[in-house]
PDB file of all heavy atoms in Angstrom:
ATOM      1  N   ILE E  32       2.939 -11.650  -6.633  1.00 98.00           N
ATOM      2  CA  ILE E  32       3.386 -12.432  -5.470  1.00 98.00           C
ATOM      3  C   ILE E  32       3.227 -13.931  -5.733  1.00 98.00           C
ATOM      4  O   ILE E  32       4.030 -14.743  -5.278  1.00 98.00           O
ATOM      5  CB  ILE E  32       2.676 -11.992  -4.166  1.00 98.00           C
ATOM      6  CG1 ILE E  32       3.524 -12.346  -2.922  1.00 98.00           C
ATOM      7  CG2 ILE E  32       1.308 -12.621  -3.985  1.00 98.00           C
ATOM      8  CD1 ILE E  32       4.657 -11.441  -2.654  1.00 98.00           C
ATOM      9  N   HIS E  33       2.215 -14.323  -6.513  1.00 98.00           N
ATOM     10  CA  HIS E  33       2.058 -15.735  -6.894  1.00 98.00           C
ATOM     11  C   HIS E  33       3.241 -16.194  -7.748  1.00 98.00           C
ATOM     12  O   HIS E  33       3.715 -17.326  -7.599  1.00 98.00           O
ATOM     13  CB  HIS E  33       0.739 -15.936  -7.645  1.00 98.00           C
ATOM     14  CG  HIS E  33      -0.420 -16.172  -6.728  1.00 98.00           C
ATOM     15  ND1 HIS E  33      -1.048 -17.377  -6.618  1.00 98.00           N
ATOM     16  CD2 HIS E  33      -1.047 -15.345  -5.860  1.00 98.00           C
ATOM     17  CE1 HIS E  33      -2.027 -17.289  -5.716  1.00 98.00           C
ATOM     18  NE2 HIS E  33      -2.048 -16.059  -5.250  1.00 98.00           N
ATOM     19  N   ARG E  34       3.719 -15.317  -8.616  1.00 97.00           N
ATOM     20  CA  ARG E  34       4.882 -15.660  -9.454  1.00 97.00           C
ATOM     21  C   ARG E  34       6.146 -15.798  -8.607  1.00 97.00           C
ATOM     22  O   ARG E  34       6.936 -16.721  -8.808  1.00 97.00           O
ATOM     23  CB  ARG E  34       5.075 -14.587 -10.534  1.00 97.00           C
ATOM     24  CG  ARG E  34       4.005 -14.643 -11.610  1.00 97.00           C
ATOM     25  CD  ARG E  34       4.096 -13.444 -12.541  1.00 97.00           C
ATOM     26  NE  ARG E  34       3.063 -13.533 -13.579  1.00 97.00           N
ATOM     27  CZ  ARG E  34       2.643 -12.509 -14.300  1.00 97.00           C
ATOM     28  NH1 ARG E  34       3.145 -11.303 -14.075  1.00 97.00           N
ATOM     29  NH2 ARG E  34       1.717 -12.666 -15.224  1.00 97.00           N
ATOM     30  N   VAL E  35       6.314 -14.874  -7.670  1.00 97.00           N
ATOM     31  CA  VAL E  35       7.485 -14.941  -6.767  1.00 97.00           C
ATOM     32  C   VAL E  35       7.430 -16.232  -5.955  1.00 97.00           C
ATOM     33  O   VAL E  35       8.430 -16.935  -5.795  1.00 97.00           O
ATOM     34  CB  VAL E  35       7.531 -13.711  -5.830  1.00 97.00           C
ATOM     35  CG1 VAL E  35       8.640 -13.863  -4.787  1.00 97.00           C
ATOM     36  CG2 VAL E  35       7.741 -12.429  -6.633  1.00 97.00           C
ATOM     37  N   LEU E  36       6.245 -16.538  -5.448  1.00 97.00           N
ATOM     38  CA  LEU E  36       6.055 -17.738  -4.625  1.00 97.00           C
ATOM     39  C   LEU E  36       6.337 -19.008  -5.434  1.00 97.00           C
ATOM     40  O   LEU E  36       6.993 -19.939  -4.956  1.00 97.00           O
ATOM     41  CB  LEU E  36       4.626 -17.753  -4.074  1.00 97.00           C
ATOM     42  CG  LEU E  36       4.262 -18.825  -3.051  1.00 97.00           C
ATOM     43  CD1 LEU E  36       5.163 -18.756  -1.826  1.00 97.00           C
ATOM     44  CD2 LEU E  36       2.805 -18.690  -2.639  1.00 97.00           C
ATOM     45  N   GLN E  37       5.839 -19.025  -6.663  1.00 97.00           N
ATOM     46  CA  GLN E  37       6.060 -20.191  -7.532  1.00 97.00           C
ATOM     47  C   GLN E  37       7.558 -20.403  -7.806  1.00 97.00           C
ATOM     48  O   GLN E  37       8.061 -21.530  -7.750  1.00 97.00           O
ATOM     49  CB  GLN E  37       5.310 -19.985  -8.857  1.00 97.00           C
ATOM     50  CG  GLN E  37       5.144 -21.262  -9.667  1.00 97.00           C
ATOM     51  CD  GLN E  37       4.204 -21.069 -10.834  1.00 97.00           C
ATOM     52  OE1 GLN E  37       4.221 -20.021 -11.470  1.00 97.00           O
ATOM     53  NE2 GLN E  37       3.376 -22.066 -11.127  1.00 97.00           N
ATOM     54  N   ASP E  38       8.250 -19.298  -8.087  1.00 96.00           N
ATOM     55  CA  ASP E  38       9.703 -19.400  -8.311  1.00 96.00           C
ATOM     56  C   ASP E  38      10.421 -19.902  -7.067  1.00 96.00           C
ATOM     57  O   ASP E  38      11.355 -20.718  -7.146  1.00 96.00           O
ATOM     58  CB  ASP E  38      10.282 -18.036  -8.720  1.00 96.00           C
ATOM     59  CG  ASP E  38       9.978 -17.697 -10.178  1.00 96.00           C
ATOM     60  OD1 ASP E  38       9.658 -18.636 -10.947  1.00 96.00           O
ATOM     61  OD2 ASP E  38      10.061 -16.509 -10.546  1.00 96.00           O
ATOM     62  N   ALA E  39       9.992 -19.407  -5.901  1.00 97.00           N
ATOM     63  CA  ALA E  39      10.626 -19.828  -4.639  1.00 97.00           C
ATOM     64  C   ALA E  39      10.410 -21.320  -4.392  1.00 97.00           C
ATOM     65  O   ALA E  39      11.344 -22.034  -3.993  1.00 97.00           O
ATOM     66  CB  ALA E  39      10.048 -19.020  -3.485  1.00 97.00           C
ATOM     67  N   LEU E  40       9.187 -21.795  -4.645  1.00 97.00           N
ATOM     68  CA  LEU E  40       8.875 -23.212  -4.400  1.00 97.00           C
ATOM     69  C   LEU E  40       9.569 -24.127  -5.407  1.00 97.00           C
ATOM     70  O   LEU E  40       9.890 -25.279  -5.096  1.00 97.00           O
ATOM     71  CB  LEU E  40       7.357 -23.431  -4.443  1.00 97.00           C
ATOM     72  CG  LEU E  40       6.558 -22.721  -3.340  1.00 97.00           C
ATOM     73  CD1 LEU E  40       5.057 -22.863  -3.573  1.00 97.00           C
ATOM     74  CD2 LEU E  40       6.919 -23.245  -1.956  1.00 97.00           C
ATOM     75  N   LYS E  41       9.814 -23.618  -6.615  1.00 97.00           N
ATOM     76  CA  LYS E  41      10.491 -24.425  -7.645  1.00 97.00           C
ATOM     77  C   LYS E  41      12.002 -24.194  -7.667  1.00 97.00           C
ATOM     78  O   LYS E  41      12.712 -24.759  -8.491  1.00 97.00           O
ATOM     79  CB  LYS E  41       9.909 -24.085  -9.025  1.00 97.00           C
ATOM     80  CG  LYS E  41       8.495 -24.609  -9.238  1.00 97.00           C
ATOM     81  CD  LYS E  41       8.028 -24.283 -10.643  1.00 97.00           C
ATOM     82  CE  LYS E  41       6.652 -24.879 -10.904  1.00 97.00           C
ATOM     83  NZ  LYS E  41       6.169 -24.536 -12.266  1.00 97.00           N
ATOM     84  N   HIS E  42      12.467 -23.318  -6.770  1.00 96.00           N
ATOM     85  CA  HIS E  42      13.892 -22.958  -6.669  1.00 96.00           C
ATOM     86  C   HIS E  42      14.412 -22.339  -7.969  1.00 96.00           C
ATOM     87  O   HIS E  42      15.565 -22.545  -8.366  1.00 96.00           O
ATOM     88  CB  HIS E  42      14.745 -24.184  -6.276  1.00 96.00           C
ATOM     89  CG  HIS E  42      14.276 -24.837  -5.017  1.00 96.00           C
ATOM     90  ND1 HIS E  42      14.467 -24.277  -3.765  1.00 96.00           N
ATOM     91  CD2 HIS E  42      13.600 -25.992  -4.814  1.00 96.00           C
ATOM     92  CE1 HIS E  42      13.931 -25.066  -2.841  1.00 96.00           C
ATOM     93  NE2 HIS E  42      13.391 -26.119  -3.459  1.00 96.00           N
ATOM     94  N   ASN E  43      13.548 -21.568  -8.660  1.00 96.00           N
ATOM     95  CA  ASN E  43      13.975 -20.852  -9.869  1.00 96.00           C
ATOM     96  C   ASN E  43      14.728 -19.595  -9.459  1.00 96.00           C
ATOM     97  O   ASN E  43      14.296 -18.871  -8.564  1.00 96.00           O
ATOM     98  CB  ASN E  43      12.765 -20.439 -10.715  1.00 96.00           C
ATOM     99  CG  ASN E  43      12.042 -21.634 -11.299  1.00 96.00           C
ATOM    100  OD1 ASN E  43      12.618 -22.710 -11.429  1.00 96.00           O
ATOM    101  ND2 ASN E  43      10.778 -21.452 -11.654  1.00 96.00           N
ATOM    102  N   LYS E  44      15.848 -19.334 -10.137  1.00 95.00           N
ATOM    103  CA  LYS E  44      16.641 -18.139  -9.822  1.00 95.00           C
ATOM    104  C   LYS E  44      15.943 -16.891 -10.380  1.00 95.00           C
ATOM    105  O   LYS E  44      15.507 -16.871 -11.521  1.00 95.00           O
ATOM    106  CB  LYS E  44      18.039 -18.269 -10.443  1.00 95.00           C
ATOM    107  CG  LYS E  44      19.046 -17.254  -9.924  1.00 95.00           C
ATOM    108  CD  LYS E  44      20.428 -17.557 -10.478  1.00 95.00           C
ATOM    109  CE  LYS E  44      21.476 -16.615  -9.895  1.00 95.00           C
ATOM    110  NZ  LYS E  44      21.262 -15.214 -10.212  1.00 95.00           N
ATOM    111  N   GLN E  45      15.826 -15.873  -9.542  1.00 94.00           N
ATOM    112  CA  GLN E  45      15.195 -14.634  -9.996  1.00 94.00           C
ATOM    113  C   GLN E  45      16.105 -13.868 -10.956  1.00 94.00           C
ATOM    114  O   GLN E  45      17.325 -13.864 -10.798  1.00 94.00           O
ATOM    115  CB  GLN E  45      14.852 -13.741  -8.793  1.00 94.00           C
ATOM    116  CG  GLN E  45      13.697 -14.264  -7.955  1.00 94.00           C
ATOM    117  CD  GLN E  45      13.300 -13.282  -6.867  1.00 94.00           C
ATOM    118  OE1 GLN E  45      14.124 -12.532  -6.350  1.00 94.00           O
ATOM    119  NE2 GLN E  45      12.023 -13.292  -6.498  1.00 94.00           N
ATOM    120  N   LYS E  46      15.490 -13.211 -11.954  1.00 92.00           N
ATOM    121  CA  LYS E  46      16.275 -12.437 -12.922  1.00 92.00           C
ATOM    122  C   LYS E  46      16.855 -11.189 -12.260  1.00 92.00           C
ATOM    123  O   LYS E  46      16.261 -10.620 -11.345  1.00 92.00           O
ATOM    124  CB  LYS E  46      15.389 -12.051 -14.114  1.00 92.00           C
ATOM    125  CG  LYS E  46      15.020 -13.262 -14.975  1.00 92.00           C
ATOM    126  CD  LYS E  46      14.137 -12.853 -16.131  1.00 92.00           C
ATOM    127  CE  LYS E  46      13.771 -14.103 -16.955  1.00 92.00           C
ATOM    128  NZ  LYS E  46      12.818 -13.790 -18.028  1.00 92.00           N
ATOM    129  N   ASP E  47      18.001 -10.750 -12.756  1.00 90.00           N
ATOM    130  CA  ASP E  47      18.723  -9.633 -12.136  1.00 90.00           C
ATOM    131  C   ASP E  47      17.950  -8.322 -12.182  1.00 90.00           C
ATOM    132  O   ASP E  47      18.078  -7.480 -11.291  1.00 90.00           O
ATOM    133  CB  ASP E  47      20.091  -9.440 -12.825  1.00 90.00           C
ATOM    134  CG  ASP E  47      21.023 -10.615 -12.562  1.00 90.00           C
ATOM    135  OD1 ASP E  47      20.819 -11.302 -11.535  1.00 90.00           O
ATOM    136  OD2 ASP E  47      21.930 -10.870 -13.376  1.00 90.00           O
ATOM    137  N   ASP E  48      17.127  -8.105 -13.240  1.00 93.00           N
ATOM    138  CA  ASP E  48      16.426  -6.829 -13.377  1.00 93.00           C
ATOM    139  C   ASP E  48      15.060  -6.825 -12.689  1.00 93.00           C
ATOM    140  O   ASP E  48      14.288  -5.878 -12.839  1.00 93.00           O
ATOM    141  CB  ASP E  48      16.262  -6.487 -14.856  1.00 93.00           C
ATOM    142  CG  ASP E  48      15.297  -7.437 -15.570  1.00 93.00           C
ATOM    143  OD1 ASP E  48      15.117  -8.569 -15.066  1.00 93.00           O
ATOM    144  OD2 ASP E  48      14.736  -7.052 -16.610  1.00 93.00           O
ATOM    145  N   LEU E  49      14.754  -7.893 -11.938  1.00 95.00           N
ATOM    146  CA  LEU E  49      13.418  -8.035 -11.355  1.00 95.00           C
ATOM    147  C   LEU E  49      13.081  -6.909 -10.388  1.00 95.00           C
ATOM    148  O   LEU E  49      11.966  -6.390 -10.400  1.00 95.00           O
ATOM    149  CB  LEU E  49      13.288  -9.392 -10.640  1.00 95.00           C
ATOM    150  CG  LEU E  49      11.861  -9.792 -10.280  1.00 95.00           C
ATOM    151  CD1 LEU E  49      11.040 -10.058 -11.535  1.00 95.00           C
ATOM    152  CD2 LEU E  49      11.839 -11.017  -9.375  1.00 95.00           C
ATOM    153  N   TYR E  50      14.054  -6.497  -9.570  1.00 95.00           N
ATOM    154  CA  TYR E  50      13.809  -5.454  -8.566  1.00 95.00           C
ATOM    155  C   TYR E  50      13.323  -4.163  -9.220  1.00 95.00           C
ATOM    156  O   TYR E  50      12.306  -3.587  -8.818  1.00 95.00           O
ATOM    157  CB  TYR E  50      15.085  -5.196  -7.746  1.00 95.00           C
ATOM    158  CG  TYR E  50      15.012  -3.940  -6.910  1.00 95.00           C
ATOM    159  CD1 TYR E  50      14.278  -3.912  -5.727  1.00 95.00           C
ATOM    160  CD2 TYR E  50      15.650  -2.766  -7.327  1.00 95.00           C
ATOM    161  CE1 TYR E  50      14.186  -2.752  -4.968  1.00 95.00           C
ATOM    162  CE2 TYR E  50      15.560  -1.602  -6.577  1.00 95.00           C
ATOM    163  CZ  TYR E  50      14.827  -1.603  -5.400  1.00 95.00           C
ATOM    164  OH  TYR E  50      14.733  -0.450  -4.665  1.00 95.00           O
ATOM    165  N   VAL E  51      14.052  -3.700 -10.256  1.00 96.00           N
ATOM    166  CA  VAL E  51      13.708  -2.440 -10.924  1.00 96.00           C
ATOM    167  C   VAL E  51      12.344  -2.568 -11.601  1.00 96.00           C
ATOM    168  O   VAL E  51      11.499  -1.665 -11.503  1.00 96.00           O
ATOM    169  CB  VAL E  51      14.790  -2.044 -11.961  1.00 96.00           C
ATOM    170  CG1 VAL E  51      14.366  -0.802 -12.736  1.00 96.00           C
ATOM    171  CG2 VAL E  51      16.123  -1.801 -11.255  1.00 96.00           C
ATOM    172  N   ARG E  52      12.095  -3.678 -12.307  1.00 96.00           N
ATOM    173  CA  ARG E  52      10.812  -3.877 -13.002  1.00 96.00           C
ATOM    174  C   ARG E  52       9.657  -3.902 -12.014  1.00 96.00           C
ATOM    175  O   ARG E  52       8.638  -3.250 -12.207  1.00 96.00           O
ATOM    176  CB  ARG E  52      10.850  -5.197 -13.797  1.00 96.00           C
ATOM    177  CG  ARG E  52      11.604  -5.089 -15.111  1.00 96.00           C
ATOM    178  CD  ARG E  52      11.227  -6.200 -16.091  1.00 96.00           C
ATOM    179  NE  ARG E  52      11.558  -7.524 -15.572  1.00 96.00           N
ATOM    180  CZ  ARG E  52      10.665  -8.476 -15.357  1.00 96.00           C
ATOM    181  NH1 ARG E  52       9.378  -8.256 -15.592  1.00 96.00           N
ATOM    182  NH2 ARG E  52      11.032  -9.652 -14.904  1.00 96.00           N
ATOM    183  N   TYR E  53       9.840  -4.665 -10.925  1.00 97.00           N
ATOM    184  CA  TYR E  53       8.763  -4.785  -9.941  1.00 97.00           C
ATOM    185  C   TYR E  53       8.480  -3.464  -9.228  1.00 97.00           C
ATOM    186  O   TYR E  53       7.332  -3.125  -8.972  1.00 97.00           O
ATOM    187  CB  TYR E  53       9.101  -5.891  -8.925  1.00 97.00           C
ATOM    188  CG  TYR E  53       8.522  -7.236  -9.304  1.00 97.00           C
ATOM    189  CD1 TYR E  53       8.316  -7.585 -10.629  1.00 97.00           C
ATOM    190  CD2 TYR E  53       8.163  -8.170  -8.334  1.00 97.00           C
ATOM    191  CE1 TYR E  53       7.780  -8.813 -10.978  1.00 97.00           C
ATOM    192  CE2 TYR E  53       7.620  -9.408  -8.672  1.00 97.00           C
ATOM    193  CZ  TYR E  53       7.432  -9.722  -9.997  1.00 97.00           C
ATOM    194  OH  TYR E  53       6.887 -10.929 -10.345  1.00 97.00           O
ATOM    195  N   GLU E  54       9.539  -2.734  -8.922  1.00 97.00           N
ATOM    196  CA  GLU E  54       9.344  -1.452  -8.219  1.00 97.00           C
ATOM    197  C   GLU E  54       8.530  -0.489  -9.084  1.00 97.00           C
ATOM    198  O   GLU E  54       7.644   0.201  -8.588  1.00 97.00           O
ATOM    199  CB  GLU E  54      10.712  -0.853  -7.864  1.00 97.00           C
ATOM    200  CG  GLU E  54      10.670   0.208  -6.773  1.00 97.00           C
ATOM    201  CD  GLU E  54      10.029  -0.244  -5.466  1.00 97.00           C
ATOM    202  OE1 GLU E  54      10.383  -1.323  -4.948  1.00 97.00           O
ATOM    203  OE2 GLU E  54       9.157   0.494  -4.971  1.00 97.00           O
ATOM    204  N   ASN E  55       8.814  -0.457 -10.394  1.00 97.00           N
ATOM    205  CA  ASN E  55       8.052   0.406 -11.315  1.00 97.00           C
ATOM    206  C   ASN E  55       6.594  -0.035 -11.403  1.00 97.00           C
ATOM    207  O   ASN E  55       5.684   0.792 -11.380  1.00 97.00           O
ATOM    208  CB  ASN E  55       8.686   0.370 -12.720  1.00 97.00           C
ATOM    209  CG  ASN E  55       9.962   1.190 -12.783  1.00 97.00           C
ATOM    210  OD1 ASN E  55      10.129   2.142 -12.029  1.00 97.00           O
ATOM    211  ND2 ASN E  55      10.869   0.826 -13.673  1.00 97.00           N
ATOM    212  N   ILE E  56       6.382  -1.344 -11.527  1.00 98.00           N
ATOM    213  CA  ILE E  56       5.016  -1.872 -11.628  1.00 98.00           C
ATOM    214  C   ILE E  56       4.228  -1.573 -10.354  1.00 98.00           C
ATOM    215  O   ILE E  56       3.069  -1.168 -10.399  1.00 98.00           O
ATOM    216  CB  ILE E  56       5.037  -3.399 -11.894  1.00 98.00           C
ATOM    217  CG1 ILE E  56       5.600  -3.690 -13.292  1.00 98.00           C
ATOM    218  CG2 ILE E  56       3.625  -3.990 -11.784  1.00 98.00           C
ATOM    219  CD1 ILE E  56       5.921  -5.156 -13.529  1.00 98.00           C
ATOM    220  N   LEU E  57       4.872  -1.745  -9.193  1.00 98.00           N
ATOM    221  CA  LEU E  57       4.182  -1.552  -7.909  1.00 98.00           C
ATOM    222  C   LEU E  57       3.835  -0.090  -7.666  1.00 98.00           C
ATOM    223  O   LEU E  57       2.803   0.216  -7.062  1.00 98.00           O
ATOM    224  CB  LEU E  57       5.024  -2.112  -6.761  1.00 98.00           C
ATOM    225  CG  LEU E  57       5.175  -3.638  -6.780  1.00 98.00           C
ATOM    226  CD1 LEU E  57       6.176  -4.099  -5.730  1.00 98.00           C
ATOM    227  CD2 LEU E  57       3.835  -4.334  -6.558  1.00 98.00           C
ATOM    228  N   ARG E  58       4.692   0.802  -8.153  1.00 97.00           N
ATOM    229  CA  ARG E  58       4.369   2.235  -8.035  1.00 97.00           C
ATOM    230  C   ARG E  58       3.110   2.551  -8.844  1.00 97.00           C
ATOM    231  O   ARG E  58       2.211   3.259  -8.381  1.00 97.00           O
ATOM    232  CB  ARG E  58       5.553   3.083  -8.526  1.00 97.00           C
ATOM    233  CG  ARG E  58       5.383   4.572  -8.210  1.00 97.00           C
ATOM    234  CD  ARG E  58       6.514   5.426  -8.715  1.00 97.00           C
ATOM    235  NE  ARG E  58       6.537   5.505 -10.164  1.00 97.00           N
ATOM    236  CZ  ARG E  58       7.439   4.921 -10.941  1.00 97.00           C
ATOM    237  NH1 ARG E  58       8.409   4.194 -10.402  1.00 97.00           N
ATOM    238  NH2 ARG E  58       7.394   5.043 -12.255  1.00 97.00           N
ATOM    239  N   LYS E  59       3.031   1.994 -10.059  1.00 98.00           N
ATOM    240  CA  LYS E  59       1.844   2.217 -10.903  1.00 98.00           C
ATOM    241  C   LYS E  59       0.613   1.551 -10.290  1.00 98.00           C
ATOM    242  O   LYS E  59      -0.490   2.095 -10.352  1.00 98.00           O
ATOM    243  CB  LYS E  59       2.098   1.667 -12.312  1.00 98.00           C
ATOM    244  CG  LYS E  59       3.020   2.553 -13.128  1.00 98.00           C
ATOM    245  CD  LYS E  59       3.343   1.913 -14.467  1.00 98.00           C
ATOM    246  CE  LYS E  59       4.409   2.738 -15.197  1.00 98.00           C
ATOM    247  NZ  LYS E  59       4.922   2.031 -16.379  1.00 98.00           N
ATOM    248  N   ALA E  60       0.804   0.358  -9.711  1.00 97.00           N
ATOM    249  CA  ALA E  60      -0.324  -0.355  -9.075  1.00 97.00           C
ATOM    250  C   ALA E  60      -0.904   0.468  -7.926  1.00 97.00           C
ATOM    251  O   ALA E  60      -2.126   0.532  -7.745  1.00 97.00           O
ATOM    252  CB  ALA E  60       0.134  -1.714  -8.569  1.00 97.00           C
ATOM    253  N   THR E  61      -0.032   1.113  -7.153  1.00 97.00           N
ATOM    254  CA  THR E  61      -0.473   1.975  -6.049  1.00 97.00           C
ATOM    255  C   THR E  61      -1.276   3.161  -6.584  1.00 97.00           C
ATOM    256  O   THR E  61      -2.335   3.497  -6.055  1.00 97.00           O
ATOM    257  CB  THR E  61       0.739   2.482  -5.237  1.00 97.00           C
ATOM    258  OG1 THR E  61       1.445   1.359  -4.689  1.00 97.00           O
ATOM    259  CG2 THR E  61       0.306   3.393  -4.098  1.00 97.00           C
ATOM    260  N   GLU E  62      -0.760   3.786  -7.675  1.00 97.00           N
ATOM    261  CA  GLU E  62      -1.463   4.930  -8.279  1.00 97.00           C
ATOM    262  C   GLU E  62      -2.854   4.517  -8.770  1.00 97.00           C
ATOM    263  O   GLU E  62      -3.833   5.233  -8.561  1.00 97.00           O
ATOM    264  CB  GLU E  62      -0.647   5.484  -9.450  1.00 97.00           C
ATOM    265  CG  GLU E  62       0.615   6.230  -9.026  1.00 97.00           C
ATOM    266  CD  GLU E  62       1.534   6.540 -10.199  1.00 97.00           C
ATOM    267  OE1 GLU E  62       1.123   6.281 -11.361  1.00 97.00           O
ATOM    268  OE2 GLU E  62       2.654   7.019  -9.963  1.00 97.00           O
ATOM    269  N   LYS E  63      -2.929   3.353  -9.430  1.00 96.00           N
ATOM    270  CA  LYS E  63      -4.205   2.870  -9.972  1.00 96.00           C
ATOM    271  C   LYS E  63      -5.183   2.527  -8.844  1.00 96.00           C
ATOM    272  O   LYS E  63      -6.387   2.745  -8.963  1.00 96.00           O
ATOM    273  CB  LYS E  63      -3.988   1.635 -10.852  1.00 96.00           C
ATOM    274  CG  LYS E  63      -3.238   1.924 -12.145  1.00 96.00           C
ATOM    275  CD  LYS E  63      -4.042   2.810 -13.065  1.00 96.00           C
ATOM    276  CE  LYS E  63      -3.309   3.084 -14.365  1.00 96.00           C
ATOM    277  NZ  LYS E  63      -3.964   4.139 -15.150  1.00 96.00           N
ATOM    278  N   GLU E  64      -4.646   1.971  -7.747  1.00 96.00           N
ATOM    279  CA  GLU E  64      -5.512   1.614  -6.617  1.00 96.00           C
ATOM    280  C   GLU E  64      -6.136   2.867  -6.008  1.00 96.00           C
ATOM    281  O   GLU E  64      -7.338   2.894  -5.707  1.00 96.00           O
ATOM    282  CB  GLU E  64      -4.693   0.871  -5.556  1.00 96.00           C
ATOM    283  CG  GLU E  64      -5.547   0.404  -4.410  1.00 96.00           C
ATOM    284  CD  GLU E  64      -4.784   0.213  -3.123  1.00 96.00           C
ATOM    285  OE1 GLU E  64      -3.739   0.871  -2.926  1.00 96.00           O
ATOM    286  OE2 GLU E  64      -5.234  -0.592  -2.315  1.00 96.00           O
ATOM    287  N   ILE E  65      -5.340   3.927  -5.842  1.00 95.00           N
ATOM    288  CA  ILE E  65      -5.844   5.185  -5.283  1.00 95.00           C
ATOM    289  C   ILE E  65      -6.906   5.777  -6.211  1.00 95.00           C
ATOM    290  O   ILE E  65      -7.964   6.234  -5.764  1.00 95.00           O
ATOM    291  CB  ILE E  65      -4.684   6.179  -5.038  1.00 95.00           C
ATOM    292  CG1 ILE E  65      -3.781   5.661  -3.905  1.00 95.00           C
ATOM    293  CG2 ILE E  65      -5.214   7.580  -4.708  1.00 95.00           C
ATOM    294  CD1 ILE E  65      -2.440   6.370  -3.790  1.00 95.00           C
ATOM    295  N   ALA E  66      -6.639   5.727  -7.528  1.00 96.00           N
ATOM    296  CA  ALA E  66      -7.605   6.249  -8.510  1.00 96.00           C
ATOM    297  C   ALA E  66      -8.911   5.463  -8.454  1.00 96.00           C
ATOM    298  O   ALA E  66     -10.006   6.036  -8.536  1.00 96.00           O
ATOM    299  CB  ALA E  66      -7.012   6.190  -9.914  1.00 96.00           C
ATOM    300  N   ALA E  67      -8.810   4.150  -8.306  1.00 95.00           N
ATOM    301  CA  ALA E  67     -10.003   3.290  -8.232  1.00 95.00           C
ATOM    302  C   ALA E  67     -10.821   3.594  -6.977  1.00 95.00           C
ATOM    303  O   ALA E  67     -12.052   3.651  -7.020  1.00 95.00           O
ATOM    304  CB  ALA E  67      -9.599   1.824  -8.249  1.00 95.00           C
ATOM    305  N   MET E  68     -10.127   3.801  -5.843  1.00 94.00           N
ATOM    306  CA  MET E  68     -10.820   4.122  -4.588  1.00 94.00           C
ATOM    307  C   MET E  68     -11.549   5.463  -4.696  1.00 94.00           C
ATOM    308  O   MET E  68     -12.675   5.618  -4.227  1.00 94.00           O
ATOM    309  CB  MET E  68      -9.819   4.163  -3.432  1.00 94.00           C
ATOM    310  CG  MET E  68      -9.402   2.788  -2.945  1.00 94.00           C
ATOM    311  SD  MET E  68      -8.004   2.845  -1.808  1.00 94.00           S
ATOM    312  CE  MET E  68      -8.684   3.753  -0.445  1.00 94.00           C
ATOM    313  N   GLU E  69     -10.885   6.443  -5.318  1.00 95.00           N
ATOM    314  CA  GLU E  69     -11.508   7.760  -5.493  1.00 95.00           C
ATOM    315  C   GLU E  69     -12.722   7.667  -6.417  1.00 95.00           C
ATOM    316  O   GLU E  69     -13.753   8.305  -6.178  1.00 95.00           O
ATOM    317  CB  GLU E  69     -10.483   8.758  -6.050  1.00 95.00           C
ATOM    318  CG  GLU E  69      -9.463   9.191  -5.008  1.00 95.00           C
ATOM    319  CD  GLU E  69      -8.340  10.041  -5.581  1.00 95.00           C
ATOM    320  OE1 GLU E  69      -8.290  10.233  -6.818  1.00 95.00           O
ATOM    321  OE2 GLU E  69      -7.496  10.508  -4.781  1.00 95.00           O
ATOM    322  N   ALA E  70     -12.602   6.844  -7.475  1.00 96.00           N
ATOM    323  CA  ALA E  70     -13.722   6.652  -8.410  1.00 96.00           C
ATOM    324  C   ALA E  70     -14.908   6.001  -7.695  1.00 96.00           C
ATOM    325  O   ALA E  70     -16.064   6.383  -7.906  1.00 96.00           O
ATOM    326  CB  ALA E  70     -13.283   5.796  -9.589  1.00 96.00           C
TER     327      ALA E  70
END
């Protein structure tokens, strides 16, 4: 989110594949968070 915010404040155009990459990363982040909570 810091990277997204930085791009927004600098008016940098987001890359076309960002949605797919971010969605995959966020799914893994959710899985890791659940595993960490269980641990």
Side-chain angles (χ1 to χ4, degrees):
I32 204 78
H33 274 250
R34 288 171 179 161
V35 173
L36 187 58
Q37 196 170 38
D38 283 341
L40 295 173
K41 289 183 176 179
H42 305 287
N43 293 338
K44 193 174 184 298
Q45 289 186 329
K46 290 179 181 175
D47 293 336
D48 68 337
L49 194 67
Y50 167 77
V51 175
R52 281 200 298 119
Y53 266 29
E54 199 56 49
N55 285 333
I56 292 168
L57 293 172
R58 190 182 69 251
K59 285 175 187 170
T61 300
E62 288 169 7
K63 292 294 181 191
E64 184 205 26
I65 292 166
M68 283 169 64
E69 286 173 355

